[in-house]
């Protein structure tokens, strides 16, 4: 009895007509496939009537890495042999940021040694953008923090005895809507 990537229990010398149990035990990360005579049972009984030569065949285990993402993409998906070292990465779409994996780990790039199946979801959230408004002789309603892509409505309201002149970017309407793609600073000019 012989094996590679595992051991065989039961080899030895036995008297004629001995009923013998033989067993193929895989090493960690491997599984039993078959005996050299085609038998696929890892534990079997044989009756000794002559010399018996059997080889136990083992194969390395393969495991799946399944990754899910919405509002981003992932890399590292595939099927890998036991013991392989892989890197998985979560990449947010524009306007989103990586939050965490479904197992709670907040590193967007991780290294695994494959010993079992992996099934994880990358969680992303919209980035937060801020609009800051500076103003003298009036107030502006609508400044603050917004999700990426949201619309912020700004309204410049002059103090009594003053009037709105315009925004620092040249816009002249006191009421305006901007799409939040970047952090923004405006000055509302009053006279």
């Amino acid at each position: 009895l012989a094996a590679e990537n595992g051991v065989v229990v039961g080899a030895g010398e036995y008297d004629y007509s001995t009923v013998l149990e033989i067993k193929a035990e895989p090493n960690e990360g491997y599984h039993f496939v078959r005996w050299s005579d085609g038998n696929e049972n890892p534990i079997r009984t044989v009756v000794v009537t002559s010399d018996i030569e059997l080889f136990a065949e083992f194969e390395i285990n393969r495991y799946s890495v399944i990754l899910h993402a919405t509002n981003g993409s992932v890399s590292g998906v595939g099927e890998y042999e036991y013991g392989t070292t892989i890197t998985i990465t979560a990449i947010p779409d524009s306007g989103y940021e990586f939050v965490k994996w479904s197992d709670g780990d907040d590193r967007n790039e991780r290294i695994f040694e494959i010993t079992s199946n992996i099934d994880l979801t990358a969680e992303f959230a919209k980035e937060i953008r801020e609009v800051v408004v500076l103003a003298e002789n009036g107030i502006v309603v609508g400044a603050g923090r917004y999700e990426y892509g949201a619309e912020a409505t700004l309204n410049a309201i002059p103090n009594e005895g003053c009037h709105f002149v315009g925004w620092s970017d040249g816009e002249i309407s006191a009421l305006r809507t901007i799409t939040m793609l970047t952090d923004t600073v405006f000055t509302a000019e009053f006279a």
Side-chain angles (χ1 to χ4, degrees), residues 71-127:
N71 302 314
S73 60
V74 290
S75 66
V77 172
E79 189 173 279
Y80 301 93
E81 289 184 351
Y82 175 88
T84 303
T85 300
I86 67 156
T87 300
I88 65 170
T89 307
I91 305 150
D93 287 344
S94 179
Y96 288 83
E97 61 188 2
F98 174 74
V99 177
K100 65 180 178 173
W101 293 97
S102 53
D103 65 357
D105 194 302
D106 63 0
R107 295 171 293 166
N108 72 313
E109 185 173 279
R110 297 170 66 183
I111 296 173
F112 287 93
E113 181 177 347
I114 300 298
T115 59
S116 63
N117 291 325
I118 296 172
D119 190 341
L120 293 171
T121 299
E123 297 176 20
F124 300 96
K126 284 197 173 186
E127 291 179 334

